[in-house]
Amino acid sequence: MNSNRLEQGLQKLHEIDGEAGQAVINSLQHICPDLARLTIEFPFADVYSRPGLDLRAREIATVAALTALGHCAPQLKVHLNAALNVGCSEEEIKEVIIQMAVYAGFPASLNAMFAFAEVLEGRAG
Amino acid sequence: MNSNRLEQGLQKLHEIDGEAGQAVINSLQHICPDLARLTIEFPFADVYSRPGLDLRAREIATVAALTALGHCAPQLKVHLNAALNVGCSEEEIKEVIIQMAVYAGFPASLNAMFAFAEVLEGRAG
Amino acid sequence: MNSNRLEQGLQKLHEIDGEAGQAVINSLQHICPDLARLTIEFPFADVYSRPGLDLRAREIATVAALTALGHCAPQLKVHLNAALNVGCSEEEIKEVIIQMAVYAGFPASLNAMFAFAEVLEGRAG
Amino acid sequence: MNSNRLEQGLQKLHEIDGEAGQAVINSLQHICPDLARLTIEFPFADVYSRPGLDLRAREIATVAALTALGHCAPQLKVHLNAALNVGCSEEEIKEVIIQMAVYAGFPASLNAMFAFAEVLEGRAG
Amino acid sequence: MNSNRLEQGLQKLHEIDGEAGQAVINSLQHICPDLARLTIEFPFADVYSRPGLDLRAREIATVAALTALGHCAPQLKVHLNAALNVGCSEEEIKEVIIQMAVYAGFPASLNAMFAFAEVLEGRAG
Amino acid sequence: MNSNRLEQGLQKLHEIDGEAGQAVINSLQHICPDLARLTIEFPFADVYSRPGLDLRAREIATVAALTALGHCAPQLKVHLNAALNVGCSEEEIKEVIIQMAVYAGFPASLNAMFAFAEVLEGRAG
């Protein structure tokens, strides 16, 4: 049932993104509660809850994709935090970002690295 | 020295991409030997040879990025093979492709899954 | 319940995409049944079934987006057919494609127009 | 004649984008008057003035495309306003933005929805 | 007057793209004569006819952009031919393509180089 | 040897980008010295130092690509400065930006022109 997907999605969202994820959902609630719900249900209940790939690998994939796409700075920051939350090391995340220079070019890689600097500063602060 | 980078890159290329990687390099040799060399040196000697991220995680990142970018079908096929070569399971790779629907949309995800079907068929053949 | 989402999605898929949509789902079933199901559920049960925007406007939006993204030729063809299925005229669809030259450039627009030529030929055949 | 295209384009620009469109043109005048003129002539005289698709459908197509492209925040805001100006409802525009999650991923959709929140606030203010 | 823009555009198109450009226009005539006309007028009469940048530099810019965008293979081939037509050397064009690895990644660069191999073969044939 | 690539790259970086390039490298040093080094070595020692294309043409290609990609505002500004540094005129750079409207759409072109306005203001200030 839908209420189960929503609960399952919220639980997974909190496991991965913590407060940053909840903050995004809260902002969405004001402008479009349906998109807030869909953003919890499909990505977190339908996809991230699936077995077959551990959360560390899932976050490595997401950081890679958002770095390569290049136009998703807010979501990239959420997932750079998420990658640290689920156990990726700083070094591993930097390696993913460096590697994206090969596939999406240096600008994508540099912008993601500067976003990571802000994320690390935010966690240290 | 440059010759060392080239040797180191070639060795890493073969470890990851096997014959498919060599075939790309051979095709490039005919049209532009310098790009063939640069394609070995920077991606494989400078990036994939770095410690700090294991090859499985590197291929998960690359499959995610090439799926999300959407306009790199030949390179995606090479790295779907590479991901299998370095120990990712079929299931893990499918999960990465499914997850990209969240970040790059369903068309990117579907096209990558059909590319993976061709890759699996090619290996079974 | 999930079975309801699947049924609702399938019904909407057939209403919009007809046989072309079913053909995509059938191909996906062979390589990844879970992605086949997710492709029915989220896009068609969760999104296209929503009130608030009629199917003609939905297909205009999708044709515009897939033309602009540029790397989704198979999906664009499905939705060019779908746009005709739900009542958009040939002229309206051509206008959407022409308009995309403003936002995504002439190559995106030309490639979509040639795809539409194939779609029209296929329906006439 | 060119002067006619310019006049026709300006009239259409004002009909669609109102003051926000004129503000963009004014900014362009300072740095590159020729691009200001071309931005009026081709998009507004040559494309938006064409019959065959009403302005509501044109703005739905443009909002969809700019949401999907993801790197056009200033232009997206102009056209979110324009969509409201030519008679699209808030609900319709939100549906277009939600639907883009299917084709361009959730980050593109979320960023557009937050842009729409700013646009609505600006009109209410 | 519009007929002048069309004539001026056609002349510039032939100067740059030769038969390949005319072939594209002919194909467009069958499906959408208006887009054929717009494709001559805006790009070739309004933009390529402008003073301030010589045709060699214009083609270098276009080859760079189409290589980086990655989803415009047919247009890239037309402009790889055009670049040769207006006096760029093979070596210069290869350098532009190589340089794009820095900004758009190696897949974009490799795909463009293979497209250039086909173009050169076509001219030699 | 690597130290030679680094020295050669740094020299070329300063020749092209001047202080703006060094500022980017300095920022990178704090978060990821290895990416700082790779950003000097591959783009500047391996690519920009190559013969076969003069620096003016190289910067025209880069401005074109970064304008078209659309999600690289910081790097575009560095290279708009660089293009002026290596002898491109204001008019030539504006022509490249205008021309990108043909291939990547007006939003990409407008955003780049506004970035150029900031760059020119910064140099005048």
Side-chain angles (χ1 to χ4, degrees):
Chain A
M1 258 165 298
N2 277 344
S3 70
N4 285 357
R5 280 176 80 224
L6 190 58
E7 279 170 36
Q8 185 187 16
L10 266 173
Q11 200 177 313
K12 190 57 74 178
L13 172 76
H14 291 156
E15 184 184 345
I16 296 172
D17 290 343
E19 288 177 25
Q22 188 59 49
V24 173
I25 298 303
N26 291 348
S27 304
L28 273 175
Q29 289 287 9
H30 287 103
I31 174 74
C32 186
D34 281 6
L35 183 54
R37 186 177 45 73
L38 291 169
T39 302
I40 295 164
E41 286 177 349
F42 176 65
F44 293 97
D46 292 358
V47 176
Y48 278 89
S49 297
R50 292 171 59 84
L53 192 68
D54 62 80
L55 283 181
R56 283 181 71 259
R58 287 196 182 278
E59 286 303 326
I60 281 170
T62 298
V63 166
L66 294 177
T67 297
L69 288 171
H71 59 75
C72 313
Q75 291 78 24
L76 177 59
K77 282 187 194 171
V78 169
H79 283 281
L80 288 167
N81 260 308
L84 293 166
N85 292 345
V86 300
C88 297
S89 71
E90 252 192 63
E91 190 188 10
E92 286 174 318
I93 296 169
K94 287 180 181 173
E95 287 302 318
V96 172
I97 293 173
I98 289 171
Q99 189 172 316
M100 290 305 105
V102 175
Y103 299 105
F106 277 79
S109 201
L110 265 64
N111 290 336
M113 195 62 86
F114 289 128
F116 195 39
E118 286 182 44
V119 164
L120 290 172
E121 214 170 302
R123 289 169 80 99
Chain B
M1 258 165 296
N2 277 344
S3 70
N4 284 357
R5 282 176 79 223
L6 190 58
E7 278 170 37
Q8 185 188 15
L10 266 172
Q11 200 178 312
K12 190 57 75 178
L13 173 76
H14 291 157
E15 183 184 345
I16 296 172
D17 290 343
E19 288 177 26
Q22 187 60 49
V24 173
I25 298 302
N26 291 348
S27 306
L28 273 176
Q29 290 285 9
H30 287 103
I31 173 72
C32 185
D34 280 6
L35 184 54
R37 185 176 46 75
L38 291 168
T39 302
I40 296 164
E41 287 178 348
F42 175 65
F44 293 97
D46 291 358
V47 176
Y48 278 89
S49 297
R50 292 171 59 83
L53 193 68
D54 61 81
L55 283 180
R56 284 181 71 259
R58 287 196 182 278
E59 286 303 325
I60 281 171
T62 297
V63 167
L66 294 176
T67 298
L69 288 172
H71 57 75
C72 315
Q75 291 77 25
L76 177 58
K77 284 187 194 171
V78 168
H79 282 281
L80 289 165
N81 260 307
L84 293 166
N85 292 346
V86 301
C88 297
S89 72
E90 253 191 63
E91 190 187 11
E92 287 174 318
I93 295 169
K94 286 179 182 174
E95 287 302 320
V96 172
I97 293 173
I98 289 171
Q99 189 171 317
M100 289 306 104
V102 175
Y103 299 104
F106 278 78
S109 201
L110 266 63
N111 290 336
M113 195 62 87
F114 290 128
F116 194 39
E118 287 181 47
V119 164
L120 290 173
E121 215 170 300
R123 290 169 77 99
Chain C
M1 260 165 294
N2 278 344
S3 70
N4 285 357
R5 284 176 77 223
L6 189 58
E7 279 171 36
Q8 186 187 15
L10 265 172
Q11 200 177 312
K12 190 56 72 177
L13 172 76
H14 291 157
E15 184 183 346
I16 296 172
D17 289 342
E19 288 177 26
Q22 188 58 50
V24 173
I25 298 302
N26 292 348
S27 304
L28 272 176
Q29 289 286 9
H30 287 103
I31 174 73
C32 185
D34 280 7
L35 183 55
R37 184 177 47 73
L38 291 169
T39 301
I40 296 165
E41 288 179 348
F42 175 65
F44 293 97
D46 292 358
V47 176
Y48 279 89
S49 297
R50 292 171 59 85
L53 192 68
D54 61 79
L55 283 181
R56 281 180 72 262
R58 287 196 183 279
E59 286 303 327
I60 281 169
T62 297
V63 166
L66 294 177
T67 298
L69 287 172
H71 59 76
C72 314
Q75 291 78 25
L76 176 59
K77 283 187 194 171
V78 168
H79 282 281
L80 289 166
N81 260 308
L84 293 166
N85 292 347
V86 300
C88 297
S89 71
E90 250 191 64
E91 189 187 9
E92 286 174 318
I93 295 169
K94 286 180 182 174
E95 287 301 322
V96 172
I97 293 173
I98 289 171
Q99 188 171 318
M100 290 305 106
V102 176
Y103 300 105
F106 278 79
S109 201
L110 266 63
N111 291 336
M113 195 61 87
F114 289 128
F116 194 39
E118 287 181 46
V119 164
L120 291 172
E121 213 170 301
R123 290 170 78 101
Chain D
M1 259 165 296
N2 277 343
S3 71
N4 285 358
R5 281 176 80 224
L6 189 59
E7 278 170 36
Q8 186 187 15
L10 265 173
Q11 200 177 314
K12 190 55 74 177
L13 173 76
H14 292 156
E15 184 183 346
I16 297 171
D17 289 343
E19 288 177 26
Q22 188 58 50
V24 173
I25 298 303
N26 292 347
S27 304
L28 273 176
Q29 290 286 9
H30 287 102
I31 173 72
C32 186
D34 281 6
L35 183 55
R37 185 177 46 72
L38 291 169
T39 302
I40 296 165
E41 287 178 348
F42 175 65
F44 293 98
D46 291 357
V47 177
Y48 278 90
S49 296
R50 291 171 59 84
L53 192 68
D54 62 80
L55 283 181
R56 281 182 71 261
R58 287 196 182 279
E59 286 303 326
I60 282 170
T62 298
V63 166
L66 294 177
T67 297
L69 287 172
H71 59 76
C72 315
Q75 292 78 25
L76 176 59
K77 283 187 194 171
V78 168
H79 282 281
L80 288 166
N81 260 308
L84 293 166
N85 292 347
V86 300
C88 297
S89 71
E90 250 190 65
E91 190 187 9
E92 287 174 317
I93 295 168
K94 286 179 181 174
E95 287 302 319
V96 172
I97 293 172
I98 289 171
Q99 188 170 318
M100 290 306 105
V102 176
Y103 300 104
F106 278 79
S109 202
L110 265 64
N111 290 336
M113 195 61 87
F114 289 128
F116 194 39
E118 286 181 46
V119 164
L120 290 172
E121 213 170 302
R123 290 169 79 99
Chain E
M1 259 165 295
N2 277 343
S3 70
N4 285 357
R5 281 177 78 224
L6 190 57
E7 279 170 37
Q8 185 187 15
L10 266 172
Q11 199 177 313
K12 189 57 74 177
L13 173 76
H14 291 157
E15 182 183 346
I16 297 172
D17 289 343
E19 289 177 25
Q22 188 58 50
V24 172
I25 299 302
N26 291 348
S27 304
L28 272 176
Q29 289 286 10
H30 287 103
I31 174 73
C32 186
D34 281 6
L35 184 54
R37 184 176 47 72
L38 291 169
T39 302
I40 296 164
E41 287 178 348
F42 175 65
F44 293 98
D46 291 357
V47 176
Y48 278 90
S49 297
R50 292 171 59 83
L53 192 67
D54 61 80
L55 283 181
R56 283 181 72 260
R58 287 196 182 278
E59 286 303 326
I60 281 170
T62 298
V63 166
L66 294 177
T67 297
L69 288 171
H71 59 75
C72 314
Q75 292 77 27
L76 177 59
K77 283 188 195 170
V78 169
H79 282 282
L80 289 166
N81 260 308
L84 293 166
N85 292 346
V86 300
C88 297
S89 71
E90 252 191 64
E91 190 187 10
E92 286 174 318
I93 296 168
K94 286 179 181 173
E95 288 301 320
V96 172
I97 294 173
I98 289 172
Q99 188 171 317
M100 290 305 105
V102 175
Y103 299 106
F106 278 79
S109 201
L110 265 64
N111 291 336
M113 195 62 86
F114 289 128
F116 194 39
E118 287 181 47
V119 164
L120 291 173
E121 215 171 301
R123 290 170 78 99
Chain F
M1 261 166 294
N2 278 343
S3 69
N4 285 357
R5 282 176 78 223
L6 190 57
E7 279 171 36
Q8 186 187 17
L10 265 173
Q11 200 178 315
K12 189 58 73 176
L13 173 76
H14 291 157
E15 183 184 346
I16 296 172
D17 289 343
E19 288 178 25
Q22 187 59 50
V24 173
I25 297 302
N26 291 348
S27 304
L28 273 175
Q29 289 287 8
H30 288 102
I31 174 71
C32 186
D34 280 7
L35 184 54
R37 185 177 46 74
L38 291 168
T39 301
I40 296 165
E41 287 178 348
F42 176 65
F44 293 98
D46 291 358
V47 177
Y48 278 91
S49 298
R50 292 171 59 83
L53 192 68
D54 62 80
L55 283 180
R56 282 182 71 260
R58 287 197 182 278
E59 286 303 325
I60 281 170
T62 298
V63 166
L66 295 176
T67 297
L69 288 171
H71 59 74
C72 314
Q75 291 78 26
L76 177 58
K77 284 188 194 170
V78 169
H79 282 281
L80 288 166
N81 260 307
L84 293 166
N85 292 347
V86 300
C88 297
S89 72
E90 252 191 64
E91 190 186 11
E92 286 174 317
I93 295 169
K94 285 179 183 174
E95 287 303 319
V96 172
I97 294 173
I98 289 171
Q99 189 171 316
M100 290 306 104
V102 176
Y103 299 105
F106 278 79
S109 201
L110 266 63
N111 290 336
M113 195 62 86
F114 289 128
F116 194 39
E118 286 180 47
V119 164
L120 290 173
E121 213 170 303
R123 289 170 79 99

